[in-house]
């Protein structure tokens, strides 16, 4: 016979103390979330956790400090979830070309690739490291063993040359 674990029952003293704390808890949640609706959601989530874990609270500690910690941890969880969500979902502008012919995309890529091959090697490497591979200017300059100013001028000249070479090619932003 299995026994089902029951959530800890909250006693009247703790319930009264939580009710008294609500204005302070809401103020703290608003400080973290900055938006009233997000703060209310955060507070609700934290209070659900408080109720579910009420048996974990030690009577020799301050209830407000314990609940503030739960709110803080809930906020950290929320921020992390938002960051993951931003990494998972592509920005709206990435959907602008959904449904276009993949052949057109390949043709454009081949045109850009051909234009890149016409650039001097120093400009091509700068563009490849910064614009294609996503290195910072500092990282690209260190990789190429040139000062950042030199890298910046190579990028500027390379971009101008690419725009001139691609001129009226649709989809390149030129």
């Amino acid at each position: 016979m299995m026994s089902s674990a029951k959530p800890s029952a909250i006693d009247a003293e703790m319930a009264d103390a939580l009710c008294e704390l609500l204005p302070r808890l809401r103020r703290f949640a608003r400080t973290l979330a900055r938006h009233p609706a997000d703060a209310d959601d955060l507070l609700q989530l934290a209070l659900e956790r408080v109720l579910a874990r009420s048996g974990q609270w030690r009577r020799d500690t301050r209830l407000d400090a314990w609940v503030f910690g739960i709110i803080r941890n809930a906020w950290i969880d929320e921020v992390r979830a938002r960051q993951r969500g931003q990494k998972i979902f592509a920005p709206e502008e990435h959907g602008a070309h959904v449904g276009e012919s993949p052949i057109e995309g390949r043709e454009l890529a081949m045109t850009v690739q051909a234009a890149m091959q016409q650039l001097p090697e120093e400009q091509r490497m700068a563009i490849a490291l910064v614009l294609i591979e996503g290195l910072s200017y500092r990282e690209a300059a260190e990789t190429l063993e040139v000062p950042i100013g030199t890298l910046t001028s190579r990028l500027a000249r390379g971009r101008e040359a690419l725009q001139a070479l691609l001129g009226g090619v649709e989809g390149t932003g030129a």
Side-chain angles (χ1 to χ4, degrees), residues 113-158:
Q113 209 169 31
M116 283 281 292
Q117 294 306 316
Q118 294 180 40
L119 296 177
E121 183 176 341
E122 62 205 18
Q123 293 174 9
R124 192 171 59 247
M125 285 192 302
I127 287 174
L129 289 174
V130 174
L131 300 179
I132 297 171
E133 298 303 326
L135 269 63
S136 70
Y137 281 28
R138 181 183 52 76
E139 293 166 331
E142 289 173 2
T143 301
L144 297 174
E145 297 178 348
V146 297
I148 289 181
T150 302
L151 174 77
T152 304
S153 65
R154 288 178 183 177
L155 279 169
R157 288 193 314 269

Side-chain angles (χ1 to χ4, degrees), residues 48-111:
E48 287 174 5
R49 289 181 182 180
V50 166
L51 295 174
R53 300 172 185 157
S54 62
Q56 295 175 3
W57 176 58
R58 294 188 338 247
R59 300 254 178 214
D60 59 335
T61 62
R62 292 180 49 170
L63 180 64
D64 60 348
W66 184 65
V67 179
F68 284 142
I70 291 174
I71 292 172
R72 179 186 158 277
N73 291 337
W75 178 245
I76 290 171
D77 292 346
E78 175 64 23
V79 169
R80 287 179 181 156
R82 287 180 185 181
Q83 289 172 344
R84 280 190 307 270
Q86 290 171 353
K87 289 179 185 175
I88 293 171
F89 298 109
E92 184 177 322
E93 59 270 11
H94 287 183
H97 301 291
V98 171
E100 288 184 1
S101 168
I103 294 170
E104 292 172 7
R106 281 192 205 116
E107 289 173 1
L108 176 60
M110 289 170 41
T111 303

